[in-house]
Amino acid sequence: MQRYKVKGKRWMGLKIKNGKGLIYALVAVFACLLLTCNFSLAATTEAKHYSELQLPPLPEIKIPKYERFVLQNGLVVYLMEDHELPLVNGTAFVRTGNRLEPMEKVGLAGFTGAVMRTGGTKQHSADELNEMLEQRAASVEAGIGEGSGSASFDALSEDLETVFGLFAEVLRSPVFAQEKLDLAKTQAKGGIARRNDDPDDIASREFKKLIYGKDSPYSRTIEYATVDNVEREDLINFYQQYFHPNNMILGIVGDFDSKKMRSLIQAKFGDWNRNPGIAKPKLPSVSAANTGGVFFVNQPQLTQSSVLIGHLGGRFDSPDYAALDVLNGVLNGFGGRLFNELRSRQGLAYSVYGQWSPRYDYPGMFIAGGQTRSDATVQFVKALQAEIKRIQTQRVPAKELAFAKESTLNSFVFNFQDPSQTLSRLMRYEYYGYPADFLFRYQKAVAATTAADVQRVAREYLKPDKIVTLVVGNQAAIQPPLTQLATKVIPIDVTIPGSKPRVKN
């Protein structure tokens, strides 16, 4: 009995102790609620509009220390050490691109880049290559886009020598296995079959054709016939034409010792013979295929319209590029005119944008557009046109100009968050023949841009009388009709050549 009494006393003691703890806890919670309410009231009374916030100045863009040298065979190399993490990554740019492939074999460059990696090398089969990389949580990739080819690797520092060796194999001795080419062609045909599933994809593809011409290398599309025309020998020939050390730029960034890295590069690439006969590719000529007109792709299943308007544009090396980028800031984004006017005030758009979109070595486009209700399509197009004319005729107010310049400079800084981004930018400038300090010139030019500059470039570069308009939507639901925009609306047939017609039930 005595034993149970003791337990009972202990139990009562615990209850009393826990009771006190509960009281303390309740008091603490009540105090927190009072503090929270006070802070909430303070926050409510002191809340400011975003435009009134005082933000610290942007950090200065600093280029990390790097080395640039050239091997005797002509391979240009950039090295940038970064010891923050035990990782190394590298990229090689190759002077090639799908704009250089024959028209009857569109897709050839893409297949060459893909099968370089998937097809294995003379030293390792595709499965062996994959297994060696997977064991090390590493990667080696390759591809060819519009204006360049590339190969890249990512590895832990401790695996650098092995992974870099595999990377060199992919660049120097791909075998282009037939079965991997067959697989790539099958996948490409699957993409062709699905290319009309997304109205925005249709609009983007067809708009390029309207600007550059359907046969231009900057707008032509891969088709069943062009896929069938590509053979393994074509891949080998395309590779041999462009993949040479004196036609490449290699950049490596990460946790390595530069002296050892130089030796590794020399060991893996130093004995690769240069091609003395290689020349800089002659780029395709560019001219405007259309200088006006309203075009339409009928998609009866749609409940909204995808709209694009615009015309041929310019290049990054234009002396007015910075002012044109500030003009983009006036038009675009959550604080931009198009969002505020067409989406917020008029309620015409689900999404809306407009920008001068240049390219490095050929004219880009001025393009504006978005998605809108079918019954608001005509009004949406007219509202876009009105904003283009307004920026030409009315000088941008000082507050709006300051916001656009800050937005432009803010977004630019994010391109240099880590050394790999910076190194990639330096390599790209050299690839396209731009000065290494191009980014600093651009920054200074943006900061110096005035309202008069924005109005001047808007008048000089935007051509309302030459705007091409494309609508992808439901013809029956677009009321008022597109004939309110032009007396003649030109239909575009997006039927896929060589596809089997669908059987109607």
Side-chain angles (χ1 to χ4, degrees):
M1 290 295 293
Q2 188 68 26
R3 185 174 55 186
Y4 287 103
K5 287 181 180 178
V6 171
K7 286 184 70 176
K9 288 180 181 178
R10 288 179 178 173
W11 175 248
M12 288 299 292
L14 286 171
K15 287 180 72 177
I16 293 170
K17 186 176 180 181
N18 287 341
K20 290 180 179 178
L22 179 61
I23 292 171
Y24 293 148
L26 288 171
V27 171
V29 169
F30 184 68
C32 287
L33 286 171
L34 286 174
L35 287 171
T36 303
C37 289
N38 288 336
F39 283 133
S40 298
L41 289 171
T44 303
T45 56
E46 297 178 9
K48 295 182 179 180
H49 191 265
Y50 74 92
S51 61
E52 299 175 335
L53 296 176
Q54 297 296 319
L55 301 176
L58 288 172
E60 182 183 353
I61 295 177
K62 295 182 179 179
I63 304 296
K65 182 181 178 182
Y66 69 93
E67 293 183 48
R68 180 193 179 280
F69 58 93
V70 184
L71 299 187
Q72 287 187 347
N73 59 12
L75 177 65
V76 177
V77 181
Y78 283 81
L79 297 182
M80 185 179 287
E81 293 187 29
D82 176 21
H83 301 286
E84 185 174 354
L85 294 171
L87 303 172
V88 182
N89 64 74
T91 300
F93 288 153
V94 185
R95 296 188 187 281
T96 183
N98 61 34
R99 59 185 174 182
L100 304 176
E101 65 194 1
M103 183 175 175
E104 69 277 7
K105 295 185 179 183
V106 173
L108 166 59
F111 293 141
T112 303
V115 183
M116 270 183 68
R117 168 62 182 87
T118 62
T121 68
K122 293 178 181 177
Q123 296 85 355
H124 296 96
S125 69
D127 290 341
E128 290 172 341
L129 194 62
N130 292 337
E131 185 177 351
M132 292 176 72
L133 292 169
E134 288 171 4
Q135 288 173 348
R136 293 164 176 81
S139 69
V140 173
E141 303 296 338
I144 299 177
E146 179 185 84
S148 67
S150 67
S152 62
F153 73 89
D154 287 278
L156 293 169
S157 305
E158 62 187 43
D159 298 321
L160 174 59
E161 188 168 343
T162 300
V163 176
F164 189 74
L166 298 176
F167 167 75
E169 286 180 22
V170 169
L171 269 173
R172 295 188 59 176
S173 56
V175 296
F176 299 106
Q178 181 66 53
E179 65 272 17
K180 298 301 182 181
L181 172 59
D182 293 340
L183 175 61
K185 291 170 72 171
T186 299
Q187 292 171 335
K189 289 183 177 181
I192 294 171
R194 296 187 300 272
R195 75 182 183 196
N196 288 335
D197 291 352
D198 187 328
D200 289 341
D201 289 346
I202 295 173
S204 176
R205 183 183 71 238
E206 297 302 322
F207 191 74
K208 286 182 180 179
K209 292 180 182 179
L210 292 173
I211 299 300
Y212 294 108
K214 64 182 180 63
D215 295 331
S216 168
Y218 298 110
S219 60
R220 61 194 180 191
T221 54
I222 187 171
E223 304 288 357
Y224 292 123
T226 66
V227 171
D228 290 335
N229 287 339
V230 176
E231 304 292 343
R232 177 176 177 270
E233 195 66 28
D234 297 315
L235 273 64
I236 295 172
N237 292 337
F238 194 88
Y239 167 83
Q240 291 177 344
Q241 185 173 358
Y242 298 107
F243 282 75
H244 302 281
N246 55 323
N247 202 39
M248 297 170 55
I249 301 174
L250 172 64
I252 302 173
V253 61
D255 183 31
F256 58 81
D257 176 81
S258 291
K259 186 176 180 180
K260 292 180 180 178
M261 194 70 237
R262 274 177 173 260
S263 298
L264 184 58
I265 294 169
Q266 182 64 41
K268 299 300 181 182
F269 289 102
D271 62 345
W272 193 4
N273 293 329
R274 65 185 296 140
N275 180 358
I278 200 164
K280 191 174 181 179
K282 183 179 179 181
L283 299 183
S285 60
V286 175
S287 59
N290 290 281
T291 53
V294 177
F295 300 82
F296 181 69
V297 178
N298 188 28
Q299 297 285 281
Q301 77 279 9
L302 298 181
T303 57
Q304 67 180 42
S305 296
S306 293
V307 177
L308 290 176
I309 72 172
H311 52 70
L312 194 64
R315 297 172 25 148
F316 283 111
D317 57 2
S318 164
D320 290 319
Y321 165 53
L324 287 161
D325 222 18
V326 175
L327 181 147
N328 287 347
V330 174
L331 292 175
N332 273 313
F334 288 109
R337 290 184 174 184
L338 296 180
F339 185 92
N340 291 342
E341 180 65 22
L342 275 73
R343 191 179 190 274
S344 298
R345 197 183 75 80
Q346 297 188 42
L348 292 175
Y350 305 118
S351 67
V352 61
Y353 56 90
Q355 61 181 347
W356 183 263
S357 182
R359 294 292 181 266
Y360 280 102
D361 58 1
Y362 73 95
M365 297 184 287
F366 169 68
I367 187 167
Q371 292 75 41
T372 186
R373 306 186 316 272
S374 296
D375 63 355
T377 303
V378 170
Q379 188 181 353
F380 178 72
V381 173
K382 289 182 177 180
L384 282 174
Q385 294 171 342
E387 288 305 311
I388 293 170
K389 291 178 180 177
R390 180 160 77 99
I391 204 168
Q392 291 182 312
T393 56
Q394 299 177 17
R395 185 163 293 191
V396 178
K399 190 174 182 180
E400 193 176 5
L401 175 69
F403 179 78
K405 290 169 67 173
E406 288 173 8
S407 300
T408 303
L409 291 171
N410 276 334
S411 61
F412 182 71
V413 168
F414 283 107
N415 293 319
F416 303 90
Q417 292 184 91
D418 60 66
S420 62
Q421 288 178 302
T422 304
L423 184 62
S424 177
R425 186 64 65 102
L426 291 172
M427 293 168 61
R428 200 164 295 278
Y429 287 158
E430 176 161 348
Y431 182 92
Y432 288 108
Y434 281 60
D437 65 342
F438 179 78
L439 65 97
F440 295 112
R441 298 184 190 183
Y442 164 81
Q443 254 192 324
K444 291 178 181 177
V446 169
T449 298
T450 65
D453 293 328
V454 174
Q455 187 177 38
R456 176 182 60 80
V457 297
R459 288 175 173 175
E460 182 176 345
Y461 292 91
L462 304 187
K463 310 291 183 183
D465 58 326
K466 294 183 179 179
I467 278 181
V468 174
T469 301
L470 172 65
V471 177
V472 178
N474 182 347
Q475 186 173 19
I478 296 177
Q479 297 297 332
L482 295 178
T483 49
Q484 286 205 359
L485 300 174
T487 54
K488 182 180 181 181
V489 177
I490 303 169
I492 296 176
D493 183 5
V494 294
T495 302
I496 301 168
S499 60
K500 296 179 180 179
R502 294 183 179 180
V503 178
K504 295 183 180 180
N505 295 327

